[in-house]
Amino acid sequence: MFAVVRGQVLALVCRTRAVLVERRDAGMVTSEYAVGIIAAVAFAAVLYKVVTSGQVSSELQAIVKKALDAKM
């Protein structure tokens, strides 16, 4: 009896692995691409606002000025 149950469990595990491999190779669907693009655009907008803010802009200018004034 134990051997029968063990065989059934192993068969179930093999079928589950096959299904998971199929799904993993399927790729993203259109809705996932849309959500990914929206997230990337939102992140780019936030990053742009941060980089162009007054404080960050002045800090970046100070870093560039310090690098250009460095003695070699």
Side-chain angles (χ1 to χ4, degrees):
M1 172 137 178
F2 181 73
V4 173
V5 173
R6 183 173 181 234
Q8 290 175 345
V9 169
L10 287 175
L12 180 62
V13 168
C14 289
R15 277 185 267 149
T16 304
R17 284 183 182 166
V19 168
L20 290 176
V21 168
E22 275 184 33
R23 286 187 181 170
R24 190 176 9 206
D25 292 339
M28 292 195 307
V29 293
T30 304
S31 60
E32 291 172 332
Y33 279 117
V35 171
I37 289 171
I38 290 170
V41 169
F43 180 72
V46 169
L47 187 61
Y48 177 77
K49 285 291 188 182
V50 167
V51 171
T52 57
S53 69
Q55 184 177 1
V56 173
S57 180
S58 64
E59 290 293 327
L60 288 174
Q61 288 176 359
I63 290 170
V64 170
K65 185 176 181 180
K66 185 177 178 182
L68 293 176
D69 290 342
K71 296 181 181 179
M72 302 253 175

